[in-house]
Amino acid sequence: MSINSHAVDIAMMKIARAPDQLYSLGLGSCIGVAIYDPVTRIGGLIHILLPTLQGFENGNHARTKFADSGITDLVDALVKAGASRSRLKAKMAGGASMFTMKSTSDVHEVGKRNIQSSKDTLKKLGIELVAQDTGGNKGRTIYFDLETGKMTIKTVDRAVKVI
Amino acid sequence: MNSIPGNMDTEKKDVLSEIANIGSGHAATALAALLNRPIVQSVPNVMLIPLADMPNQLGGAEKIVVAGLLDITGDLSGFFMVVLDQVQADRIISMMLGKRYRKRKADTVRRYSSVEKSVIAETVNILGGSYMTALSEMTGLKTQPSTPYLCIDMVGAVLNVAIAEAGKAGDFAVFFQSELFNEKERIIGDLFLIPDRSSCDKILQSLGFE
């Protein structure tokens, strides 16, 4: 069987099965949340830009842009694709503050709010967050391997991390 | 204004391009004075592009860049960004400090000294200040740029803060891009003004557009 890698761009989610891989390049304040069923090895990755849909309901917005609506939709899509709701686990990475200076502006806090909202949403949905690599001030590229359920995280000047 | 890319008509786009042209023209003049050599600018590009495509506009999400950012507040809000690849940043540092330029491997991240960082930060400050002053003079809209923030990382990650801000308005971002060149036609870097959506409308209104 050939292995395919699928790019997951900003405000997008994708679902794949082992042995495929899902990846997102250059996450800054964005978060990549991978949710998977370790038995059927069906999983999905979502590339979240903003913490919450609240206040944006009337706009022309993709639901997958936001942590709360996006993660909820990803879980629904996984169950539809044949994953078991009760076996779902999550891993996530991202949420950096790239320009960390003495900023008083809350636009630079979006990473932190993305982390919090992703965690809250997972908790609300009863999905265990088994591993994470979040915060800091470095960009990340992430690969999620459906075969192993491992997330590989690359940063520009540090060692590759696997969670 | 909603988020459909087709709805920026040609006339409005021309006006916004002219704004970008004047802004980056002033920035080029300021940089020329700073580096004591001629700097020319490209014809600026005003684009309405999907958020996810923004990193591709700058060479792909994983390309390592040295970026400077100014928060713009006041009558207009948004970000002003200067994006340099590491070779470009090194050239500016060597021109400003009068040091000989040394070639390095392109794909390794270099550590910059605090003097080198402040050289880049000051360059960003001057470029942004002159760009925004020109824009204010033309439109009568007042803006206050922040002090410069620096970041050396993957371009996708660097742009993230601007993309997140633009993402609040819709799934597209307005992007004023200009390139600066020196006498040998070597590119000095990319300048971006990323106004939020209401600011774009304000610019147009200030110039008599509905």
Side-chain angles (χ1 to χ4, degrees):
Chain A
M1 212 191 302
S2 71
I3 299 171
N4 291 313
S5 290
H6 311 278
V8 182
D9 292 333
I10 293 168
M12 201 185 261
M13 71 175 187
K14 275 187 188 164
I15 287 179
R17 290 160 199 269
D20 286 6
Q21 276 198 345
L22 295 162
Y23 66 92
S24 289
L25 304 178
L27 299 171
S29 55
C30 280
I31 296 209
V33 179
I35 301 178
Y36 67 107
D37 173 349
V39 176
T40 56
R41 292 185 297 172
I42 297 170
L45 181 64
I46 179 164
H47 188 153
I48 291 159
L49 183 66
L50 292 165
T52 173
L53 179 66
Q54 274 170 36
F56 298 103
E57 294 93 338
N58 301 322
N60 196 354
H61 294 283
R63 283 174 59 83
T64 47
K65 188 153 70 181
F66 306 96
D68 51 359
S69 52
I71 291 173
T72 308
D73 287 4
L74 177 57
V75 169
D76 290 347
L78 283 167
V79 171
K80 231 175 243 172
S84 152
R85 179 75 170 74
S86 59
R87 284 195 301 257
L88 292 178
K89 307 270 183 229
K91 292 185 177 181
M92 70 184 211
S97 305
M98 300 305 297
F99 293 90
T100 43
M101 296 282 197
K102 294 157 208 121
S103 173
T104 49
S105 155
D106 77 314
V107 295
H108 296 289
E109 297 290 311
V110 65
K112 277 183 200 156
R113 288 192 286 125
N114 281 341
I115 297 168
Q116 196 54 49
S117 179
S118 298
K119 282 185 184 167
D120 291 348
T121 307
L122 289 169
K123 199 171 177 185
K124 204 171 125 202
L125 295 169
I127 293 165
E128 188 192 353
L129 178 62
V130 290
Q132 59 168 317
D133 178 41
T134 52
N137 60 357
K138 292 285 166 203
R140 297 170 172 89
T141 280
I142 61 171
Y143 294 88
F144 187 68
D145 188 340
L146 277 312
E147 185 72 27
T148 60
K150 300 245 187 245
M151 185 182 272
T152 304
I153 299 144
K154 293 179 182 173
T155 48
V156 288
D157 56 357
R158 283 184 307 196
V160 171
K161 194 167 171 181
V162 180
I163 61 171
Chain B
M1 193 144 83
N2 63 28
S3 310
I4 301 156
N7 79 350
M8 196 196 259
D9 64 44
T10 325
E11 195 181 3
K12 283 181 183 170
K13 198 176 162 181
D14 285 349
V15 170
L16 294 176
S17 299
E18 187 51 26
I19 294 275
N21 195 23
I22 289 167
S24 54
H26 280 238
T29 307
L31 187 65
L34 194 67
L35 299 178
N36 195 25
R37 63 196 72 208
I39 304 286
V40 293
Q41 57 156 332
S42 68
V43 176
N45 216 345
V46 173
M47 297 167 283
L48 190 56
I49 55 176
L51 298 176
D53 286 351
M54 280 176 74
N56 298 331
Q57 206 64 37
L58 284 161
E62 285 194 295
K63 187 184 166 191
I64 294 166
V65 295
V66 179
L69 174 132
L70 304 176
D71 282 335
I72 307 294
T73 51
D75 294 339
L76 301 177
S77 50
F79 299 97
F80 178 84
M81 285 187 89
V82 178
V83 179
L84 310 165
D85 71 31
Q86 292 197 103
V87 174
Q88 292 161 351
D90 283 353
R91 283 219 177 84
I92 289 177
I93 290 166
S94 72
M95 285 181 219
M96 293 267 275
L97 298 180
K99 281 187 186 161
R100 201 143 47 91
Y101 166 71
R102 280 186 314 227
K103 231 180 169 172
R104 296 180 296 112
K105 276 188 226 156
D107 54 349
T108 54
V109 176
R110 166 179 159 187
R111 294 197 182 281
Y112 292 88
S113 69
S114 56
V115 173
E116 290 169 333
K117 278 186 189 163
S118 60
V119 164
I120 297 294
E122 195 47 37
T123 306
V124 172
N125 203 15
I126 287 166
L127 289 171
S130 42
Y131 193 113
M132 295 315 297
T133 303
L135 205 152
S136 289
E137 278 172 6
M138 190 165 167
T139 59
L141 299 166
K142 299 267 180 292
T143 58
Q144 292 98 35
S146 69
T147 51
Y149 306 127
L150 270 199
C151 171
I152 301 146
D153 212 305
M154 293 182 268
V155 71
V158 162
L159 283 175
N160 222 169
V161 61
I163 297 175
E165 204 47 32
K168 291 178 186 169
D171 296 333
F172 292 84
V174 185
F175 213 93
F176 293 41
Q177 183 181 26
S178 316
E179 292 168 341
L180 300 181
F181 299 87
N182 72 359
E183 74 270 30
K184 287 174 186 140
E185 290 302 300
R186 279 209 195 99
I187 185 167
I188 292 269
D190 289 290
L191 304 186
F192 296 97
L193 178 65
I194 308 160
D196 64 22
R197 203 45 90 81
S198 64
S199 295
C200 252
D201 291 344
K202 279 187 203 158
I203 294 172
L204 289 166
Q205 278 161 13
S206 76
L207 299 167
F209 282 81
E210 282 302 300

